[in-house]
Amino acid sequence: MTAHPKLARQLGLFDAVMIVMGGIIGSGIFMNPSVVARQVHSPALILGAWCLGGAIGLGGAFIWAELASIMPAVGGQYAYLREAFHPVFGFLYGWVLLLVIETGGMAAVSITFARYFLELTRLAAPDWLVAVSALGLLTFVNCLGVRSGGRTQSILMILKILAIGALIAFGFFATPLAVKFSPPIRSSVTDFGAALVPVLFAYGGWQTANFIAAEMRSPQRDLPRALLLGVVGVAILYTLVNVVCLRVLGSNGLAATSTPATVVMHAALGSPGARFVAGAIAISPLGFLSQSILTAPRVYFAMANDGLFFRSVARISARTHVPFVAIILQSAWTMVIALSGRYEQILNYVVSTDFIFFGLTASTLFVFRARRRAALSPEKIARTPGHPWTTGLFVLVCWLVVANTIYRYPENTLIGMGILLAGLPVYWFWRRIPLTN
């Protein structure tokens, strides 16, 4: 009897750190500093928002590190929700991840890459063609094996780190621009909260590294380390980017521009500096796409393996040992969204649902801790500092973001909740289908 192919454990600590950082750093860091500066108007509050966002991200990384050491299972959040609460919670997470969260984000990012690529190369081609071609190429690379996908992701992440490092280095030597002085504007607590929202989104993405736990050589040892190293590394880079933006532009100048990184590099190197930033912004979305194709399909694979999705999605290549059907499915749906041109609208729908599952997943730690105490489990695992207070605070922050989104964008939130709840009859349908080999 021929054995079924299995996922291959080929990723190490360095691969995991690059995946964590790649899931966080996108093109937003080149533009988001100005978004934050428009909400709060002093250098101390701007840097404070980014530092607090990094602290919250690190708190989440500690929680996910402990979850990874408790359950180094394929699918990450899907598995935690399934085992802590009920399979329906895991299914609904996978449902919105495939339908809108991951694929909507990938569609938007692929078009962003295409536009910057065309601007740099001066090619006469439609942006959708470049976007679909990039998705197709990265899908092919990841179907060749997790090692191939991991190496590609590492290369792209190193290029992003070098680009951000160059921005920081040249920014420290650039001549500060003369910005017209205006009296300082007092910022309220709600202003600071509004500034924190884009910061929290900029720090999001580290949780996707847990999707590939089953393909790491030592997930219980390396994945917690990778989460902490990756988030700390990103927090340092983000803080330094904001320091140089404030040094060159000042808080008023930072708030006045929508392209702060470009202005900083132009001040340092002139037009070549601006072109350098355009190239860096083009690399960043490509790295995000690579990371998404490498990680998220493992959730759909786990759903299918549990009998909650098409069985073909659980197929693993006998040659490359990757869930190639799940990878192709995600990329194909992303292409459909990109071609439809509705990706920006879709992204507005999923803000609240994304953070609902952030909070729910963090709360699974309370369940797993209680079960281990009841079982007197002796195993050594990564521990979340300050639990239960830090875990509770992280859950509270997630749901405050949800409440803020409901208050500010009630129509989009209602549509997002509708997409989420539409998964309930689908779950019921799959549960009624007998699981067959």
Side-chain angles (χ1 to χ4, degrees), residues 311-344:
R311 289 295 295 164
S312 59
V313 178
R315 288 181 62 187
I316 296 175
S317 168
R319 187 173 65 86
T320 63
H321 297 277
V322 295
F324 66 99
V325 177
I327 294 172
I328 294 170
L329 170 67
Q330 176 180 263
S331 294
W333 183 238
T334 299
M335 292 176 187
V336 170
I337 296 174
L339 292 171
S340 73
R342 302 293 295 274
Y343 45 86
E344 291 181 351

PDB file of all heavy atoms in Angstrom, residues 311-344:
ATOM      1  N   ARG A 311     -12.111  18.016  -0.784  1.00  0.00           N
ATOM      2  CA  ARG A 311     -11.035  17.094  -0.431  1.00  0.00           C
ATOM      3  C   ARG A 311      -9.802  17.304  -1.299  1.00  0.00           C
ATOM      4  O   ARG A 311      -8.680  17.065  -0.859  1.00  0.00           O
ATOM      5  CB  ARG A 311     -11.512  15.643  -0.557  1.00  0.00           C
ATOM      6  CG  ARG A 311     -12.499  15.230   0.512  1.00  0.00           C
ATOM      7  CD  ARG A 311     -11.882  15.238   1.896  1.00  0.00           C
ATOM      8  NE  ARG A 311     -10.831  14.247   2.022  1.00  0.00           N
ATOM      9  CZ  ARG A 311      -9.920  14.237   2.993  1.00  0.00           C
ATOM     10  NH1 ARG A 311      -9.912  15.198   3.890  1.00  0.00           N
ATOM     11  NH2 ARG A 311      -9.024  13.280   3.067  1.00  0.00           N
ATOM     12  N   SER A 312      -9.999  17.739  -2.536  1.00  0.00           N
ATOM     13  CA  SER A 312      -8.858  17.943  -3.429  1.00  0.00           C
ATOM     14  C   SER A 312      -7.909  19.012  -2.894  1.00  0.00           C
ATOM     15  O   SER A 312      -6.709  18.996  -3.201  1.00  0.00           O
ATOM     16  CB  SER A 312      -9.336  18.334  -4.825  1.00  0.00           C
ATOM     17  OG  SER A 312     -10.104  19.527  -4.769  1.00  0.00           O
ATOM     18  N   VAL A 313      -8.427  19.955  -2.078  1.00  0.00           N
ATOM     19  CA  VAL A 313      -7.590  21.022  -1.530  1.00  0.00           C
ATOM     20  C   VAL A 313      -6.590  20.458  -0.524  1.00  0.00           C
ATOM     21  O   VAL A 313      -5.576  21.097  -0.229  1.00  0.00           O
ATOM     22  CB  VAL A 313      -8.475  22.121  -0.901  1.00  0.00           C
ATOM     23  CG1 VAL A 313      -7.647  23.222  -0.285  1.00  0.00           C
ATOM     24  CG2 VAL A 313      -9.407  22.702  -1.964  1.00  0.00           C
ATOM     25  N   ALA A 314      -6.842  19.259  -0.017  1.00  0.00           N
ATOM     26  CA  ALA A 314      -5.909  18.620   0.916  1.00  0.00           C
ATOM     27  C   ALA A 314      -4.846  17.797   0.205  1.00  0.00           C
ATOM     28  O   ALA A 314      -4.015  17.163   0.867  1.00  0.00           O
ATOM     29  CB  ALA A 314      -6.670  17.729   1.892  1.00  0.00           C
ATOM     30  N   ARG A 315      -4.836  17.807  -1.113  1.00  0.00           N
ATOM     31  CA  ARG A 315      -3.842  17.016  -1.857  1.00  0.00           C
ATOM     32  C   ARG A 315      -2.448  17.617  -1.706  1.00  0.00           C
ATOM     33  O   ARG A 315      -2.266  18.831  -1.759  1.00  0.00           O
ATOM     34  CB  ARG A 315      -4.205  16.945  -3.337  1.00  0.00           C
ATOM     35  CG  ARG A 315      -5.407  16.054  -3.634  1.00  0.00           C
ATOM     36  CD  ARG A 315      -5.691  16.003  -5.116  1.00  0.00           C
ATOM     37  NE  ARG A 315      -4.564  15.425  -5.853  1.00  0.00           N
ATOM     38  CZ  ARG A 315      -4.488  15.393  -7.181  1.00  0.00           C
ATOM     39  NH1 ARG A 315      -5.466  15.928  -7.907  1.00  0.00           N
ATOM     40  NH2 ARG A 315      -3.453  14.858  -7.774  1.00  0.00           N
ATOM     41  N   ILE A 316      -1.476  16.746  -1.497  1.00  0.00           N
ATOM     42  CA  ILE A 316      -0.068  17.136  -1.382  1.00  0.00           C
ATOM     43  C   ILE A 316       0.697  16.517  -2.540  1.00  0.00           C
ATOM     44  O   ILE A 316       0.524  15.332  -2.850  1.00  0.00           O
ATOM     45  CB  ILE A 316       0.526  16.654  -0.038  1.00  0.00           C
ATOM     46  CG1 ILE A 316      -0.181  17.341   1.129  1.00  0.00           C
ATOM     47  CG2 ILE A 316       2.023  16.932   0.026  1.00  0.00           C
ATOM     48  CD1 ILE A 316       0.256  16.831   2.493  1.00  0.00           C
ATOM     49  N   SER A 317       1.545  17.293  -3.173  1.00  0.00           N
ATOM     50  CA  SER A 317       2.350  16.786  -4.275  1.00  0.00           C
ATOM     51  C   SER A 317       3.318  15.722  -3.772  1.00  0.00           C
ATOM     52  O   SER A 317       4.025  15.931  -2.783  1.00  0.00           O
ATOM     53  CB  SER A 317       3.132  17.933  -4.924  1.00  0.00           C
ATOM     54  OG  SER A 317       4.113  17.432  -5.816  1.00  0.00           O
ATOM     55  N   ALA A 318       3.351  14.600  -4.449  1.00  0.00           N
ATOM     56  CA  ALA A 318       4.266  13.525  -4.062  1.00  0.00           C
ATOM     57  C   ALA A 318       5.720  13.907  -4.328  1.00  0.00           C
ATOM     58  O   ALA A 318       6.629  13.372  -3.689  1.00  0.00           O
ATOM     59  CB  ALA A 318       3.917  12.249  -4.828  1.00  0.00           C
ATOM     60  N   ARG A 319       5.943  14.849  -5.230  1.00  0.00           N
ATOM     61  CA  ARG A 319       7.313  15.240  -5.578  1.00  0.00           C
ATOM     62  C   ARG A 319       7.808  16.409  -4.743  1.00  0.00           C
ATOM     63  O   ARG A 319       8.938  16.406  -4.262  1.00  0.00           O
ATOM     64  CB  ARG A 319       7.391  15.587  -7.077  1.00  0.00           C
ATOM     65  CG  ARG A 319       8.810  15.850  -7.569  1.00  0.00           C
ATOM     66  CD  ARG A 319       8.839  16.011  -9.075  1.00  0.00           C
ATOM     67  NE  ARG A 319       8.110  17.187  -9.501  1.00  0.00           N
ATOM     68  CZ  ARG A 319       8.640  18.420  -9.571  1.00  0.00           C
ATOM     69  NH1 ARG A 319       9.907  18.597  -9.229  1.00  0.00           N
ATOM     70  NH2 ARG A 319       7.922  19.434  -9.987  1.00  0.00           N
ATOM     71  N   THR A 320       6.959  17.425  -4.554  1.00  0.00           N
ATOM     72  CA  THR A 320       7.412  18.643  -3.866  1.00  0.00           C
ATOM     73  C   THR A 320       6.915  18.743  -2.420  1.00  0.00           C
ATOM     74  O   THR A 320       7.376  19.593  -1.675  1.00  0.00           O
ATOM     75  CB  THR A 320       6.946  19.891  -4.626  1.00  0.00           C
ATOM     76  OG1 THR A 320       5.505  19.932  -4.631  1.00  0.00           O
ATOM     77  CG2 THR A 320       7.446  19.862  -6.062  1.00  0.00           C
ATOM     78  N   HIS A 321       5.939  17.900  -2.047  1.00  0.00           N
ATOM     79  CA  HIS A 321       5.416  17.854  -0.672  1.00  0.00           C
ATOM     80  C   HIS A 321       4.821  19.180  -0.215  1.00  0.00           C
ATOM     81  O   HIS A 321       4.983  19.587   0.933  1.00  0.00           O
ATOM     82  CB  HIS A 321       6.523  17.402   0.302  1.00  0.00           C
ATOM     83  CG  HIS A 321       7.009  16.017   0.039  1.00  0.00           C
ATOM     84  ND1 HIS A 321       6.372  14.894   0.502  1.00  0.00           N
ATOM     85  CD2 HIS A 321       8.074  15.581  -0.683  1.00  0.00           C
ATOM     86  CE1 HIS A 321       7.021  13.811   0.109  1.00  0.00           C
ATOM     87  NE2 HIS A 321       8.061  14.203  -0.632  1.00  0.00           N
ATOM     88  N   VAL A 322       4.108  19.848  -1.117  1.00  0.00           N
ATOM     89  CA  VAL A 322       3.372  21.064  -0.753  1.00  0.00           C
ATOM     90  C   VAL A 322       1.909  20.881  -1.137  1.00  0.00           C
ATOM     91  O   VAL A 322       1.584  20.118  -2.064  1.00  0.00           O
ATOM     92  CB  VAL A 322       3.955  22.322  -1.450  1.00  0.00           C
ATOM     93  CG1 VAL A 322       5.363  22.608  -0.968  1.00  0.00           C
ATOM     94  CG2 VAL A 322       3.906  22.189  -2.968  1.00  0.00           C
ATOM     95  N   PRO A 323       0.985  21.596  -0.465  1.00  0.00           N
ATOM     96  CA  PRO A 323      -0.444  21.521  -0.813  1.00  0.00           C
ATOM     97  C   PRO A 323      -0.738  22.363  -2.058  1.00  0.00           C
ATOM     98  O   PRO A 323      -1.289  23.459  -1.974  1.00  0.00           O
ATOM     99  CB  PRO A 323      -1.127  22.077   0.450  1.00  0.00           C
ATOM    100  CG  PRO A 323      -0.138  23.022   1.031  1.00  0.00           C
ATOM    101  CD  PRO A 323       1.218  22.435   0.731  1.00  0.00           C
ATOM    102  N   PHE A 324      -0.373  21.828  -3.206  1.00  0.00           N
ATOM    103  CA  PHE A 324      -0.361  22.625  -4.436  1.00  0.00           C
ATOM    104  C   PHE A 324      -1.760  23.070  -4.855  1.00  0.00           C
ATOM    105  O   PHE A 324      -1.923  24.152  -5.430  1.00  0.00           O
ATOM    106  CB  PHE A 324       0.322  21.848  -5.568  1.00  0.00           C
ATOM    107  CG  PHE A 324      -0.407  20.608  -6.007  1.00  0.00           C
ATOM    108  CD1 PHE A 324      -1.215  20.622  -7.139  1.00  0.00           C
ATOM    109  CD2 PHE A 324      -0.300  19.421  -5.303  1.00  0.00           C
ATOM    110  CE1 PHE A 324      -1.888  19.488  -7.551  1.00  0.00           C
ATOM    111  CE2 PHE A 324      -0.976  18.274  -5.704  1.00  0.00           C
ATOM    112  CZ  PHE A 324      -1.772  18.313  -6.831  1.00  0.00           C
ATOM    113  N   VAL A 325      -2.786  22.264  -4.582  1.00  0.00           N
ATOM    114  CA  VAL A 325      -4.147  22.664  -4.950  1.00  0.00           C
ATOM    115  C   VAL A 325      -4.582  23.884  -4.138  1.00  0.00           C
ATOM    116  O   VAL A 325      -5.176  24.829  -4.668  1.00  0.00           O
ATOM    117  CB  VAL A 325      -5.133  21.498  -4.757  1.00  0.00           C
ATOM    118  CG1 VAL A 325      -6.556  21.960  -5.076  1.00  0.00           C
ATOM    119  CG2 VAL A 325      -4.751  20.321  -5.637  1.00  0.00           C
ATOM    120  N   ALA A 326      -4.274  23.886  -2.837  1.00  0.00           N
ATOM    121  CA  ALA A 326      -4.612  25.021  -1.978  1.00  0.00           C
ATOM    122  C   ALA A 326      -3.879  26.289  -2.426  1.00  0.00           C
ATOM    123  O   ALA A 326      -4.447  27.387  -2.422  1.00  0.00           O
ATOM    124  CB  ALA A 326      -4.265  24.698  -0.528  1.00  0.00           C
ATOM    125  N   ILE A 327      -2.614  26.125  -2.817  1.00  0.00           N
ATOM    126  CA  ILE A 327      -1.824  27.273  -3.289  1.00  0.00           C
ATOM    127  C   ILE A 327      -2.432  27.862  -4.562  1.00  0.00           C
ATOM    128  O   ILE A 327      -2.613  29.081  -4.678  1.00  0.00           O
ATOM    129  CB  ILE A 327      -0.361  26.852  -3.530  1.00  0.00           C
ATOM    130  CG1 ILE A 327       0.319  26.473  -2.207  1.00  0.00           C
ATOM    131  CG2 ILE A 327       0.412  27.970  -4.227  1.00  0.00           C
ATOM    132  CD1 ILE A 327       1.693  25.857  -2.379  1.00  0.00           C
ATOM    133  N   ILE A 328      -2.759  27.000  -5.514  1.00  0.00           N
ATOM    134  CA  ILE A 328      -3.325  27.452  -6.786  1.00  0.00           C
ATOM    135  C   ILE A 328      -4.706  28.073  -6.568  1.00  0.00           C
ATOM    136  O   ILE A 328      -5.048  29.093  -7.182  1.00  0.00           O
ATOM    137  CB  ILE A 328      -3.397  26.281  -7.783  1.00  0.00           C
ATOM    138  CG1 ILE A 328      -1.972  25.828  -8.155  1.00  0.00           C
ATOM    139  CG2 ILE A 328      -4.180  26.666  -9.031  1.00  0.00           C
ATOM    140  CD1 ILE A 328      -1.923  24.540  -8.949  1.00  0.00           C
ATOM    141  N   LEU A 329      -5.505  27.473  -5.677  1.00  0.00           N
ATOM    142  CA  LEU A 329      -6.839  27.991  -5.394  1.00  0.00           C
ATOM    143  C   LEU A 329      -6.776  29.435  -4.891  1.00  0.00           C
ATOM    144  O   LEU A 329      -7.507  30.310  -5.375  1.00  0.00           O
ATOM    145  CB  LEU A 329      -7.533  27.109  -4.354  1.00  0.00           C
ATOM    146  CG  LEU A 329      -8.847  27.647  -3.784  1.00  0.00           C
ATOM    147  CD1 LEU A 329      -9.918  27.685  -4.866  1.00  0.00           C
ATOM    148  CD2 LEU A 329      -9.314  26.792  -2.608  1.00  0.00           C
ATOM    149  N   GLN A 330      -5.915  29.693  -3.913  1.00  0.00           N
ATOM    150  CA  GLN A 330      -5.810  31.040  -3.362  1.00  0.00           C
ATOM    151  C   GLN A 330      -5.369  32.041  -4.429  1.00  0.00           C
ATOM    152  O   GLN A 330      -5.940  33.135  -4.543  1.00  0.00           O
ATOM    153  CB  GLN A 330      -4.821  31.063  -2.199  1.00  0.00           C
ATOM    154  CG  GLN A 330      -4.596  32.468  -1.640  1.00  0.00           C
ATOM    155  CD  GLN A 330      -3.623  32.496  -0.481  1.00  0.00           C
ATOM    156  OE1 GLN A 330      -3.996  32.491   0.665  1.00  0.00           O
ATOM    157  NE2 GLN A 330      -2.330  32.519  -0.804  1.00  0.00           N
ATOM    158  N   SER A 331      -4.365  31.683  -5.208  1.00  0.00           N
ATOM    159  CA  SER A 331      -3.872  32.608  -6.228  1.00  0.00           C
ATOM    160  C   SER A 331      -4.906  32.857  -7.317  1.00  0.00           C
ATOM    161  O   SER A 331      -5.046  33.985  -7.808  1.00  0.00           O
ATOM    162  CB  SER A 331      -2.576  32.066  -6.844  1.00  0.00           C
ATOM    163  OG  SER A 331      -1.542  32.032  -5.880  1.00  0.00           O
ATOM    164  N   ALA A 332      -5.651  31.809  -7.694  1.00  0.00           N
ATOM    165  CA  ALA A 332      -6.672  31.968  -8.729  1.00  0.00           C
ATOM    166  C   ALA A 332      -7.773  32.919  -8.264  1.00  0.00           C
ATOM    167  O   ALA A 332      -8.204  33.804  -9.017  1.00  0.00           O
ATOM    168  CB  ALA A 332      -7.271  30.611  -9.086  1.00  0.00           C
ATOM    169  N   TRP A 333      -8.218  32.768  -6.996  1.00  0.00           N
ATOM    170  CA  TRP A 333      -9.254  33.657  -6.480  1.00  0.00           C
ATOM    171  C   TRP A 333      -8.725  35.087  -6.332  1.00  0.00           C
ATOM    172  O   TRP A 333      -9.442  36.054  -6.571  1.00  0.00           O
ATOM    173  CB  TRP A 333      -9.780  33.120  -5.157  1.00  0.00           C
ATOM    174  CG  TRP A 333     -10.906  33.925  -4.577  1.00  0.00           C
ATOM    175  CD1 TRP A 333     -10.943  34.538  -3.360  1.00  0.00           C
ATOM    176  CD2 TRP A 333     -12.176  34.211  -5.183  1.00  0.00           C
ATOM    177  NE1 TRP A 333     -12.131  35.195  -3.169  1.00  0.00           N
ATOM    178  CE2 TRP A 333     -12.911  35.005  -4.275  1.00  0.00           C
ATOM    179  CE3 TRP A 333     -12.746  33.876  -6.421  1.00  0.00           C
ATOM    180  CZ2 TRP A 333     -14.190  35.472  -4.554  1.00  0.00           C
ATOM    181  CZ3 TRP A 333     -14.028  34.342  -6.699  1.00  0.00           C
ATOM    182  CH2 TRP A 333     -14.732  35.117  -5.776  1.00  0.00           C
ATOM    183  N   THR A 334      -7.452  35.216  -5.961  1.00  0.00           N
ATOM    184  CA  THR A 334      -6.838  36.544  -5.885  1.00  0.00           C
ATOM    185  C   THR A 334      -6.838  37.216  -7.247  1.00  0.00           C
ATOM    186  O   THR A 334      -7.124  38.423  -7.361  1.00  0.00           O
ATOM    187  CB  THR A 334      -5.389  36.433  -5.371  1.00  0.00           C
ATOM    188  OG1 THR A 334      -5.398  35.858  -4.060  1.00  0.00           O
ATOM    189  CG2 THR A 334      -4.726  37.800  -5.303  1.00  0.00           C
ATOM    190  N   MET A 335      -6.524  36.460  -8.294  1.00  0.00           N
ATOM    191  CA  MET A 335      -6.544  37.012  -9.646  1.00  0.00           C
ATOM    192  C   MET A 335      -7.939  37.485 -10.030  1.00  0.00           C
ATOM    193  O   MET A 335      -8.102  38.545 -10.654  1.00  0.00           O
ATOM    194  CB  MET A 335      -6.045  35.967 -10.649  1.00  0.00           C
ATOM    195  CG  MET A 335      -4.577  35.631 -10.523  1.00  0.00           C
ATOM    196  SD  MET A 335      -4.109  34.303 -11.677  1.00  0.00           S
ATOM    197  CE  MET A 335      -2.415  33.981 -11.154  1.00  0.00           C
ATOM    198  N   VAL A 336      -8.948  36.717  -9.646  1.00  0.00           N
ATOM    199  CA  VAL A 336     -10.328  37.106  -9.953  1.00  0.00           C
ATOM    200  C   VAL A 336     -10.665  38.443  -9.293  1.00  0.00           C
ATOM    201  O   VAL A 336     -11.245  39.339  -9.919  1.00  0.00           O
ATOM    202  CB  VAL A 336     -11.311  36.010  -9.489  1.00  0.00           C
ATOM    203  CG1 VAL A 336     -12.753  36.509  -9.577  1.00  0.00           C
ATOM    204  CG2 VAL A 336     -11.138  34.748 -10.322  1.00  0.00           C
ATOM    205  N   ILE A 337     -10.287  38.593  -8.011  1.00  0.00           N
ATOM    206  CA  ILE A 337     -10.554  39.844  -7.293  1.00  0.00           C
ATOM    207  C   ILE A 337      -9.786  40.997  -7.925  1.00  0.00           C
ATOM    208  O   ILE A 337     -10.314  42.102  -8.094  1.00  0.00           O
ATOM    209  CB  ILE A 337     -10.193  39.696  -5.807  1.00  0.00           C
ATOM    210  CG1 ILE A 337     -11.097  38.658  -5.141  1.00  0.00           C
ATOM    211  CG2 ILE A 337     -10.315  41.031  -5.083  1.00  0.00           C
ATOM    212  CD1 ILE A 337     -10.718  38.338  -3.701  1.00  0.00           C
ATOM    213  N   ALA A 338      -8.514  40.749  -8.284  1.00  0.00           N
ATOM    214  CA  ALA A 338      -7.704  41.801  -8.900  1.00  0.00           C
ATOM    215  C   ALA A 338      -8.304  42.245 -10.235  1.00  0.00           C
ATOM    216  O   ALA A 338      -8.365  43.443 -10.531  1.00  0.00           O
ATOM    217  CB  ALA A 338      -6.274  41.304  -9.095  1.00  0.00           C
ATOM    218  N   LEU A 339      -8.760  41.301 -11.027  1.00  0.00           N
ATOM    219  CA  LEU A 339      -9.342  41.628 -12.328  1.00  0.00           C
ATOM    220  C   LEU A 339     -10.686  42.331 -12.188  1.00  0.00           C
ATOM    221  O   LEU A 339     -11.083  43.116 -13.054  1.00  0.00           O
ATOM    222  CB  LEU A 339      -9.498  40.357 -13.167  1.00  0.00           C
ATOM    223  CG  LEU A 339      -8.190  39.702 -13.632  1.00  0.00           C
ATOM    224  CD1 LEU A 339      -8.466  38.349 -14.260  1.00  0.00           C
ATOM    225  CD2 LEU A 339      -7.464  40.602 -14.621  1.00  0.00           C
ATOM    226  N   SER A 340     -11.400  42.044 -11.081  1.00  0.00           N
ATOM    227  CA  SER A 340     -12.706  42.669 -10.870  1.00  0.00           C
ATOM    228  C   SER A 340     -12.590  44.143 -10.521  1.00  0.00           C
ATOM    229  O   SER A 340     -13.535  44.916 -10.697  1.00  0.00           O
ATOM    230  CB  SER A 340     -13.465  41.950  -9.758  1.00  0.00           C
ATOM    231  OG  SER A 340     -12.905  42.255  -8.482  1.00  0.00           O
ATOM    232  N   GLY A 341     -11.419  44.538  -9.964  1.00  0.00           N
ATOM    233  CA  GLY A 341     -11.229  45.917  -9.550  1.00  0.00           C
ATOM    234  C   GLY A 341     -11.936  46.283  -8.263  1.00  0.00           C
ATOM    235  O   GLY A 341     -12.011  47.464  -7.890  1.00  0.00           O
ATOM    236  N   ARG A 342     -12.449  45.287  -7.514  1.00  0.00           N
ATOM    237  CA  ARG A 342     -13.219  45.559  -6.292  1.00  0.00           C
ATOM    238  C   ARG A 342     -12.397  45.341  -5.028  1.00  0.00           C
ATOM    239  O   ARG A 342     -12.951  45.313  -3.921  1.00  0.00           O
ATOM    240  CB  ARG A 342     -14.446  44.634  -6.246  1.00  0.00           C
ATOM    241  CG  ARG A 342     -15.366  44.752  -7.439  1.00  0.00           C
ATOM    242  CD  ARG A 342     -16.060  46.101  -7.504  1.00  0.00           C
ATOM    243  NE  ARG A 342     -16.968  46.290  -6.379  1.00  0.00           N
ATOM    244  CZ  ARG A 342     -18.229  45.870  -6.377  1.00  0.00           C
ATOM    245  NH1 ARG A 342     -18.722  45.233  -7.444  1.00  0.00           N
ATOM    246  NH2 ARG A 342     -18.997  46.095  -5.338  1.00  0.00           N
ATOM    247  N   TYR A 343     -11.075  45.205  -5.156  1.00  0.00           N
ATOM    248  CA  TYR A 343     -10.256  44.816  -4.006  1.00  0.00           C
ATOM    249  C   TYR A 343     -10.253  45.866  -2.898  1.00  0.00           C
ATOM    250  O   TYR A 343     -10.278  45.521  -1.712  1.00  0.00           O
ATOM    251  CB  TYR A 343      -8.819  44.513  -4.458  1.00  0.00           C
ATOM    252  CG  TYR A 343      -8.240  45.523  -5.404  1.00  0.00           C
ATOM    253  CD1 TYR A 343      -7.614  46.668  -4.952  1.00  0.00           C
ATOM    254  CD2 TYR A 343      -8.350  45.338  -6.774  1.00  0.00           C
ATOM    255  CE1 TYR A 343      -7.107  47.601  -5.823  1.00  0.00           C
ATOM    256  CE2 TYR A 343      -7.849  46.273  -7.659  1.00  0.00           C
ATOM    257  CZ  TYR A 343      -7.223  47.399  -7.182  1.00  0.00           C
ATOM    258  OH  TYR A 343      -6.725  48.332  -8.055  1.00  0.00           O
ATOM    259  N   GLU A 344     -10.206  47.152  -3.253  1.00  0.00           N
ATOM    260  CA  GLU A 344     -10.183  48.187  -2.220  1.00  0.00           C
ATOM    261  C   GLU A 344     -11.483  48.192  -1.423  1.00  0.00           C
ATOM    262  O   GLU A 344     -11.489  48.353  -0.200  1.00  0.00           O
ATOM    263  CB  GLU A 344      -9.930  49.552  -2.845  1.00  0.00           C
ATOM    264  CG  GLU A 344      -8.522  49.712  -3.411  1.00  0.00           C
ATOM    265  CD  GLU A 344      -8.282  51.077  -4.017  1.00  0.00           C
ATOM    266  OE1 GLU A 344      -9.263  51.842  -4.153  1.00  0.00           O
ATOM    267  OE2 GLU A 344      -7.123  51.366  -4.363  1.00  0.00           O
TER     268      GLU A 344
END
